[in-house]
């Protein structure tokens, strides 16, 4: 299923690389009839789970912008806050259902007839995502209902929603701390009365990947309907868990833009794209407009007043920045050496960092070529030694480094003592003038 | 292995909860003689992998601060940039080895005798982490050496390091795109000559959790030495992969603070702590000073000039913030309902958000009690309706919401028309004065 070493297309930094086919990875799981990694669907929940993010306040106009952007990106479903949450929530549901989007619109409601009736009255709605807590913790400390009550409510609500001609999903909440027999019993029962999807939810973010695989695989043998999964990220496994759920036969994954949601959120849309494009590049590229990802993330980040994390998959500011000399050299030869994702798939560029003590002469040579300065290999190595020496004593900007390179180039064949950068202290000058062993710079 | 529903201690918001033992989770993997989730060790690489982060420039003083903080936290090993990278890198290795830290100090060097000799000459160093690229991509586009050359170099370097009385690890690079037979052959060979650890590295971030489990499990049957793992986070699986590696028998995990490293980095120290405390709370709490985590993250974030991501595990600003009314109600009853981590384990507090349209009357009641304002349940519900109505039309601050609550309380039993908040437009006033159905506010 994993197809590593997908031949990368031409880089964006002016170099061109011959596409090449690497041998199949012997550790990749064998193709499996259960797996849906090459045919999954996304239920995008920025406008439901995302609204539960501490910083989120979405006015109607913002909700419309986000819904249109997600539709444009190509998500299969857009999930909205329950119309029972507040009057404006209900009006916003109506508004978004009236936009004529290609994506199906869902709303997420408690397993209660009042909520179901309110939701079913919204014109243009495609379906309801019904949820109820099934863990002993939630039975005891939240709604106070037992499994018999839960089963009776589920059947009543599902049959009502179906009678209204809408899609319906039934999900437990906190599935990974619920009793297995209870879960399988209720899922089996709602499957028999024709629910469209059952959902499992790691509401507290406790599940681990192999545990997810096991539960979904078990459930796959019990129900014939689709299986939706929802993973919180409290312990950093939300993206991995979604992937393992798909491997085990889940069909739909819940996401939100940047992962925003309760606490530190859920499987992020971008993170899922990064994971899935490695698994099936053709499917992901044919279905989702990946070049829109950065704009959608910026839209949502701005709406909820946060910064995109420095380490965000794909769009983090350094996701395609290569720094150590040994990485830079290989990337300049062939980006597939140190990139499993191709930045051009997302409308982005890679960047080879050369302004540090960890740089190497291949990176400096590449920069010299960008600057139109040509030297011999021995001179590139000498120049690299100067960059590394200064980078050892202070933080170098791009400008600093370009100045060192230009001044070094100017000094070649000249007897003048050209200072490589301005404003050096006496100590810094002494360090710069000291000869570095060529070996130490050429090999790192 | 997973021990969900660990009884949480008393909350920090003044409520007290009876500890309770939940039934064992039927999906938790069975205890497995292979698994090291309850006896793993950390090789902390902020001062090596982290120095390869685009924004990192660590001067000597900063390196010392970070090393001391990591030592204080309780990491088992601290890994440093190769002394061959630059003269200052060599001097910094010497300096950190001279600090007398409890943690063992390693340096990460290429599989080359020159580098090994330079490293072994550093007084106080505990060991060397030797690395060489083994994927076809790296063989072809990076160092240009074949497997025979790699094996010969490995044996020469390992025997030399052992002769100097130091620990030695041999790691392949890009292990998940290397030939399986090549890998097992070289690992088996270095194991026989007494290497302390072999390392597998997902250098490009392509590996998925079950693939990691399979490779480590296979390797566990081939070598008798320790197994170290290193996971990049390009596709969002670095924490999950580390966990699955430990389940399969890996013994050591590489981390960096906030995950900083090449591109978007590796398994973060904090993320690993979140994952592992769910798996074995006693082990993690006995070994690591978790209450120091936030300070270390702030130290490193400041040194590399980044913000801690909003969604960072444990220390993200909203990792313990509960917003939806249904979550708030249950959390106020018993935090284990919606928290798998206990904020007090990390010296942090939870926060129940009540200034939004998604709030419910239990959250408002709790806030009223904090403010010393007492009402009947019916009055709390009415007050909640007012908060939700205003939150529907504009973003509410904490102050706004407290003002609404205080003014509502003041208006009880009075015939005066007290405005609930100042500065409302006429439209906002009309909305606020409209009666909300009590039902819609009491049940969300």
């Amino acid at each position: 299923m994993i197809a590593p070493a997908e031949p990368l297309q031409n880089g964006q930094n002016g170099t061109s690389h011959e596409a090449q086919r690497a041998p199949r990875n012997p550790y990749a799981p064998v193709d499996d009839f259960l797996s849906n990694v090459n045919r999954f669907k996304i239920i995008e929940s920025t406008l439901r789970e995302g609204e539960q993010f501490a910083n989120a306040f979405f006015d109607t106009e913002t909700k419309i912008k986000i819904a249109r952007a997600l539709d444009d990106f190509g998500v299969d479903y857009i999930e909205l806050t329950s119309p029972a949450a507040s009057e404006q929530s209900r009006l916003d549901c109506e508004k978004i259902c009236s936009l004529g989007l290609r994506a199906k619109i869902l709303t997420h409601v408690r397993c209660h007839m009042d909520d179901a009736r309110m939701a079913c009255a919204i014109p243009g709605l495609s379906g309801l995502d019904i949820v109820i807590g099934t863990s002993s913790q939630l039975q005891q400390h939240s709604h106070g209902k037992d499994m018999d009550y839960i089963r009776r409510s589920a059947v009543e609500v599902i049959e009502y929603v179906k009678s209204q001609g809408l899609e319906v999903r039934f999900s437990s909440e906190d599935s990974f701390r619920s009793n297995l027999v209870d879960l399988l019993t209720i899922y089996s029962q709602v499957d028999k009365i024709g629910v469209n999807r059952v959902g499992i939810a790691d509401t507290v973010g406790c599940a681990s990947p192999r545990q997810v695989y096991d539960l979904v695989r078990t459930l796959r043998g019990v129900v014939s309907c689709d299986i939706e999964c929802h993973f919180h990220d409290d312990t950093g496994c939300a993206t991995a868990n979604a992937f393992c759920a798909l491997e085990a036969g889940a069909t739909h994954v819940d996401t939100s833009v940047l992962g925003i949601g309760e606490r530190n959120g859920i499987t992020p849309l971008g993170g899922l794209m990064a994971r899935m494009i490695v698994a099936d590049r053709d499917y992901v590229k044919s279905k989702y407009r990946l070049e829109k990802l950065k704009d959608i993330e910026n839209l949502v980040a701005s709406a909820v007043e946060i910064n995109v994390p420095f380490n965000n998959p794909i769009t983090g500011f350094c996701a395609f920045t290569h720094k150590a000399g040994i990485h830079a050299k290989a990337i300049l030869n062939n980006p597939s050496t140190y990139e499993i994702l191709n930045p051009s798939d997302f409308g982005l560029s890679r960047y080879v960092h050369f302004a540090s003590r960890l740089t190497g002469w291949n990176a400096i040579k590449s920069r010299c070529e960008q600057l139109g300065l040509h030297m011999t290999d021995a001179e590139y190595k000498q120049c690299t030694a100067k960059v590394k020496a200064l980078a050892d004593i202070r933080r170098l900007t791009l400008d600093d480094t370009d100045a060192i390179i230009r001044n070094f180039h100017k000094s070649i064949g000249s007897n003048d003592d050209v200072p490589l950068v301005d404003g050096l202290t006496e100590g810094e000058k002494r360090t710069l003038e000291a000869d570095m062993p060529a070996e130490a710079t050429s090999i790192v």
Side-chain angles (χ1 to χ4, degrees), chain A residues 119-191:
Chain A
C120 286
I122 294 174
L125 191 75
S126 291
L128 271 63
D129 281 348
I130 305 291
V131 67
I132 190 162
T134 44
S135 69
S136 60
Q137 284 88 345
L138 291 176
Q139 286 183 51
Q140 187 181 346
H141 300 289
S142 177
H143 51 65
K145 313 296 190 191
D146 64 14
M147 285 307 296
D148 270 346
Y149 178 92
I150 292 172
R151 269 191 294 275
R152 282 197 311 274
S153 311
V155 170
E156 182 185 15
V157 171
I158 291 165
E159 290 191 329
Y160 171 75
V161 177
K162 281 173 56 73
S163 77
Q164 303 299 301
L166 298 184
E167 270 190 31
V168 58
R169 176 213 73 185
F170 173 82
S171 181
S172 61
E173 204 185 345
D174 202 1
S175 316
F176 290 84
R177 297 192 300 174
S178 299
N179 178 285
L180 178 59
V181 178
D182 284 350
L183 274 191
L184 297 181
T185 305
I186 193 164
Y187 285 139
S188 160
Q189 201 159 354
V190 299
D191 183 46

Side-chain angles (χ1 to χ4, degrees), chain A residues 328-340:
Chain A
K329 173 186 169 187
I331 278 284
L332 291 166
N333 273 335
N334 183 324
S336 80
T337 48
Y338 285 102
E339 276 177 2
I340 195 68

